[in-house]
Amino acid sequence: MASANDPTLRSWIDIPPTSDFPIQNLPFGIFETDERGARVGVAIGGYVLDLYAVSQWGFFDDLDLQGQQPKVFRRRSLNAFIRLGRPAWRAVRERVSELLRHDNTVLQSPEVMRDCLVRQTDVQLLCPVKPRQFVRFASHLASNTPTPTDETSPTPTGSYAPAGSLVASGTRMRRPTRTYLLDAEDTLRGPVQRLDFEVQLGFVGGQATDLGATLSVEQAEETLFGLTLVLGWYAHDLCRGSAPAPLLDRSFGSTLSPWVVLLDALEPFRVAGAPQLPEPEPHLRQNGQHHVAVQLEVALQPADGPETVVATPTTRSLYWSIGQQLAYLTSSGTPLQAGDLYTSGTVADGSLYDLTVNGTQPLVLNDTTMRIFLETDDQVRLCGYCDQEGVRLGFGEVTGVVS
């Protein structure tokens, strides 16, 4: 186990036990202030550690960052940092862990602390990556007692989505429009009425591969940088009567968490997946702990109303592991790029459609209003964490408001 994962570590920063960002986590993201511009940061408690400032103070000078510091930490995405490769990510995370430990005082002088630490409430958090390709895998939900007749493919399925449709947490999501048939001759363009959210686990590519290269499940997992949360948006209206994989129903937007948690940090939270029947194709078979157990929470807040927690799903409901999904994507020779984004498919109870039993049983919110689908100015909040042996690692919050 990496030393940065040691559950006994404590930081000199006061971090409440319910924080998403203890010293064992140290997720990477991009933050911005008027004075500093956009920079790479690490979340620690209620603060962001400015890695550009840390590098300027010389704390990374002995690390092999391919001569890219400090400029690699002054970017509007993590892509350049990710391209440095796994040894660099690990070295930076381990060094940050050392600097933040309770018995290390080098960052605690007023001048250094002023340069390197910023309160999260004083920054704007941006999308952490700018993917060249965004692949959205379809949902297949796990069962502890599957049968060979279950409607599950022996391979994952999915589709490409426009990378430009990814937006930062807090962005208002415009309701798309559709054509309504009024009578035999007249039509009307208007906003969709059956707008939904979809809770997904995102995984960020960490390594480029050549066109034509294929990866095993184990190799595919090794190419990944880390995990994040994705709040997808789905217009059921645009799917009705369409082909099985319609073009427009999900292409208008997805909201991305500002933080990416390294796979190294998530090693203690690995679990085995549910049995897979029918048996996957030979190149997708795997044994051992290849899933990550993330406990999720979804809340819905109407305009001028209180928030209601509507679901507490878990990623344990996902059938395919991230390694299996990515290995299948490369099985035809599809090239990968550092910073690409992939999503797992919607978790069980991760949409209003699921929670309202296919739209037949409305949800009653805390203010007694009801929802089958989202209404204008509704805010959706998604958060998630892993918890084991007294250590809680979180992914932060993802929020979106319907326009």
Side-chain angles (χ1 to χ4, degrees):
M1 180 172 64
S3 59
N5 291 356
D6 185 344
T8 67
L9 291 181
R10 293 181 293 112
S11 175
W12 51 267
I13 295 174
D14 186 25
I15 303 174
T18 57
S19 172
D20 279 346
F21 308 120
I23 192 172
Q24 291 83 3
N25 193 349
L26 307 179
F28 291 84
I30 301 294
F31 76 96
E32 184 175 44
T33 70
D34 291 339
E35 297 78 19
R36 299 173 188 244
R39 298 183 178 186
V40 177
V42 164
I44 178 72
Y47 294 86
V48 177
L49 183 69
D50 182 341
L51 296 194
Y52 181 75
V54 171
S55 183
Q56 283 189 309
W57 276 94
F59 296 124
F60 296 151
D61 284 356
D62 61 327
L63 303 184
D64 182 10
L65 301 183
Q66 304 171 27
Q68 297 299 306
Q69 74 272 23
K71 61 183 179 180
V72 74
F73 299 115
R74 194 167 188 171
R75 295 285 190 272
R76 295 192 69 84
S77 79
L78 292 172
N79 290 40
F81 175 63
I82 294 173
R83 285 194 293 270
L84 295 181
R86 187 178 300 277
W89 321 329
R90 284 178 169 165
V92 169
R93 179 171 177 261
E94 288 287 341
R95 178 56 50 82
V96 168
S97 176
E98 294 168 8
L99 294 171
L100 293 171
R101 292 176 191 179
H102 73 284
D103 54 355
N104 193 329
T105 61
V106 296
L107 288 184
Q108 297 184 51
S109 72
E111 186 178 6
V112 177
M113 193 183 304
R114 183 172 57 251
D115 282 352
C116 296
L117 277 179
V118 193
R119 292 185 182 276
Q120 289 194 31
T121 52
D122 294 335
V123 307
Q124 180 181 0
L125 296 172
L126 309 180
C127 275
V129 292
K130 292 184 178 179
R132 291 188 181 182
Q133 58 183 7
F134 171 23
V135 178
R136 191 170 41 222
F137 288 99
S139 297
H140 297 285
L141 301 181
S143 169
N144 288 323
T145 56
T147 68
T149 58
D150 286 347
E151 293 183 7
T152 302
S153 168
T155 62
T157 58
S159 61
Y160 283 87
S165 65
L166 291 166
V167 298
S169 178
T171 303
R172 292 185 70 89
M173 184 54 58
R174 183 184 62 84
R175 187 185 295 267
T177 58
R178 60 162 289 189
T179 298
Y180 292 89
L181 183 64
L182 300 181
D183 54 39
E185 297 181 356
D186 294 330
T187 60
L188 174 69
R189 293 287 293 176
V192 298
Q193 302 299 309
R194 294 159 55 87
L195 185 63
D196 202 350
F197 60 79
E198 294 185 320
V199 174
Q200 302 172 343
L201 185 66
F203 40 112
V204 176
Q207 177 182 322
T209 62
D210 294 330
L211 178 66
T214 61
L215 301 176
S216 68
V217 174
E218 291 74 18
Q219 290 170 330
E221 199 171 285
E222 281 296 310
T223 69
L224 291 173
F225 177 66
L227 302 187
T228 188
L229 300 181
V230 179
L231 184 61
W233 304 93
Y234 179 35
H236 291 265
D237 315 48
L238 299 178
C239 182
R240 297 170 70 186
S242 301
L247 179 65
L248 303 177
D249 57 345
R250 293 179 174 90
S251 62
F252 57 91
S254 297
T255 306
L256 184 57
S257 166
W259 300 111
V260 183
V261 181
L262 288 189
L263 282 184
D264 282 353
L266 295 167
E267 282 299 321
F269 307 97
R270 295 272 193 163
V271 296
Q276 294 182 323
L277 286 176
E279 193 171 24
E281 292 187 357
H283 67 290
L284 298 179
R285 296 171 190 170
Q286 62 181 179
N287 296 302
Q289 297 179 318
H290 294 279
H291 292 249
V292 178
V294 183
Q295 180 61 53
L296 302 163
E297 179 181 280
V298 190
L300 198 159
Q301 183 174 7
D304 303 320
E307 182 181 80
T308 302
V309 174
V310 296
T312 55
T314 172
T315 59
R316 289 176 182 266
S317 66
L318 295 171
Y319 184 83
W320 297 106
S321 73
I322 56 179
Q324 287 176 311
Q325 290 176 319
L326 198 57
Y328 179 70
L329 181 65
T330 69
S331 63
S332 65
T334 299
L336 309 178
Q337 297 290 334
D340 284 349
L341 180 68
Y342 315 91
T343 59
S344 60
T346 308
V347 302
D349 291 334
S351 68
L352 282 176
Y353 194 69
D354 280 355
L355 295 170
T356 61
V357 192
N358 302 340
T360 63
Q361 300 178 16
L363 280 181
V364 180
L365 306 182
N366 287 340
D367 62 358
T368 72
T369 60
M370 293 187 292
R371 290 291 186 279
I372 293 179
F373 295 105
L374 295 171
E375 297 186 4
T376 299
D377 293 327
D378 281 352
Q379 175 178 275
V380 181
R381 177 180 62 83
L382 167 64
C383 61
Y385 64 91
C386 304
D387 194 354
Q388 182 175 294
E389 297 181 358
V391 176
R392 171 191 167 116
L393 267 63
F395 292 79
E397 291 188 349
V398 194
T399 62
V401 180
V402 178
S403 290

